[in-house]
Amino acid sequence: KQEVTQIPAALSVPEGENLVLNCSFTDSAIYNLQWFRQDPGKGLTSLLLIQSSQREQTSGRLNASLDKSSGRSTLYIAASQPGDSATYLCAVSGANNLFFGTGTRLTVIP
Amino acid sequence: DVKVTQSSRYLVKRTGEKVFLECVQDMDHENMFWYRQDPGLGLRLIYFSYDVKMKEKGDIPEGYSVSREKKERFSLILESASTNQTSMYLCASSRQGANYGYTFGSGTRLTVV
C-alpha cells in the first residue's frame, strides 16, 4: 500500500525566509500529486496539482516539484509571510483514492 | 468559483443517534469521497462513489454507510453514533479520470457524547 511521509512534521521560520517542505512516497505508480493547505479546524485548500508526467508546477510564490522515479516532491515557498502559517499536506493519487501524508505544520513568525 | 459544501461546520450528537452528514458539489463531478481526519492518523477514506447510486468501501467503512441519489449530493450516515466516531469529516469531489485533482469541503467537526 502507498505510504506518504512528510518531513519535517513542524517548521518555524521568520518572515521573509524561503523554505522547502518535503514529501516522499513509496510507490511511484501515481497519477498525480497534489499539495493542500489546511488552516486549523478548516477543510483542505488545493494549492498545486502536478501530473505524473510533469516535473513542476508554479503558482505565485509557490513552486512544487515532482521526481516520480525517486518518490519525492518538494513544495518551495518564497518570501514567507505570517499568512502562510498553516498545515501543508501532500497527497498522491491512486486509482480511486488519495494517499495523504500527515502534514507539515508551518509557523511564520512576524 | 467551484464548491463543495458541507451542510454543518459543527455537530454534537448523542451516542446511539443516527447521524447524517450532507455534502453537495456544484462542479458536475462524477466522483465523491468521504474522509475522516484524526490527529496522528491523517486522512482516511471511509467511502467513495463514482456514479449515482454507486458506492465503494474505503479503508475504514465500519459503522458508516453512504447514499448517492443525485450526482451532486453524497451523504454519510452514522447508523448508531459512538464516541470513537468523534472526528473531523471531510467531503471531496473530483472529475473522472487520472488528470484531475480533488476539491474538498470545509469539513464537519462531529462530537459524539
Side-chain angles (χ1 to χ4, degrees):
Chain A
K1 184 183 174 182
Q2 179 77 266
E3 291 186 7
V4 181
T5 303
Q6 290 187 247
I7 294 173
L11 181 63
S12 187
V13 300
E15 182 176 2
E17 268 205 12
N18 303 324
L19 59 101
V20 174
L21 307 181
N22 296 293
C23 172
S24 61
F25 47 95
T26 55
D27 185 350
S28 62
I30 65 170
Y31 292 128
N32 56 56
L33 184 145
Q34 203 165 354
W35 281 94
F36 294 92
R37 168 189 172 133
Q38 186 175 33
D39 294 290
K42 302 285 180 65
L44 276 63
T45 299
S46 180
L47 298 173
L48 289 165
L49 172 68
I50 311 177
Q51 301 298 336
S52 62
S53 59
Q54 296 177 319
R55 298 285 292 184
E56 65 179 319
Q57 279 286 341
T58 298
S59 176
R61 294 183 294 109
L62 305 180
N63 176 277
S65 69
L66 174 63
D67 184 343
K68 204 172 74 158
S69 61
S70 67
R72 295 179 187 275
S73 176
T74 62
L75 178 66
Y76 174 83
I77 302 177
S80 58
Q81 303 170 358
D84 295 331
S85 297
T87 296
Y88 290 80
L89 295 157
C90 95
V92 297
S93 177
N96 291 308
N97 196 0
L98 275 185
F99 297 92
F100 285 87
T102 50
T104 294
R105 188 172 70 252
L106 173 66
T107 303
V108 181
I109 303 164
Chain B
D1 197 18
V2 295
K3 270 198 167 177
V4 176
T5 302
Q6 294 184 232
S7 54
S8 304
R9 287 296 312 278
Y10 301 96
L11 274 179
V12 180
K13 297 293 182 180
R14 295 196 178 277
T15 301
E17 275 194 75
K18 191 168 186 176
V19 181
F20 293 86
L21 302 184
E22 305 288 347
C23 176
V24 177
Q25 51 96 2
D26 64 359
M27 297 166 282
D28 201 36
H29 283 174
E30 294 84 6
N31 300 333
M32 296 188 75
F33 308 83
W34 275 106
Y35 289 85
R36 65 177 281 179
Q37 184 179 28
D38 300 287
L41 296 176
L43 279 89
R44 293 177 291 168
L45 181 65
I46 305 171
Y47 268 97
F48 67 96
S49 168
Y50 53 87
D51 201 352
V52 176
K53 296 193 184 295
M54 305 302 289
K55 61 184 178 184
E56 295 285 343
K57 293 180 180 179
D59 298 322
I60 51 164
E62 297 79 17
Y64 302 95
S65 62
V66 290
S67 172
R68 194 166 181 201
E69 296 296 318
K70 293 185 178 182
K71 189 176 186 180
E72 67 269 21
R73 186 180 297 270
F74 192 36
S75 302
L76 180 69
I77 303 156
L78 287 64
E79 298 290 344
S80 177
S82 63
T83 55
N84 64 12
Q85 293 178 310
T86 292
S87 186
M88 170 69 98
Y89 289 87
L90 292 161
C91 175
S93 72
S94 74
R95 202 167 285 289
Q96 202 82 262
N99 295 333
Y100 303 100
Y102 286 40
T103 302
F104 278 80
S106 55
T108 296
R109 168 68 65 182
L110 172 68
T111 301
V112 182
V113 298

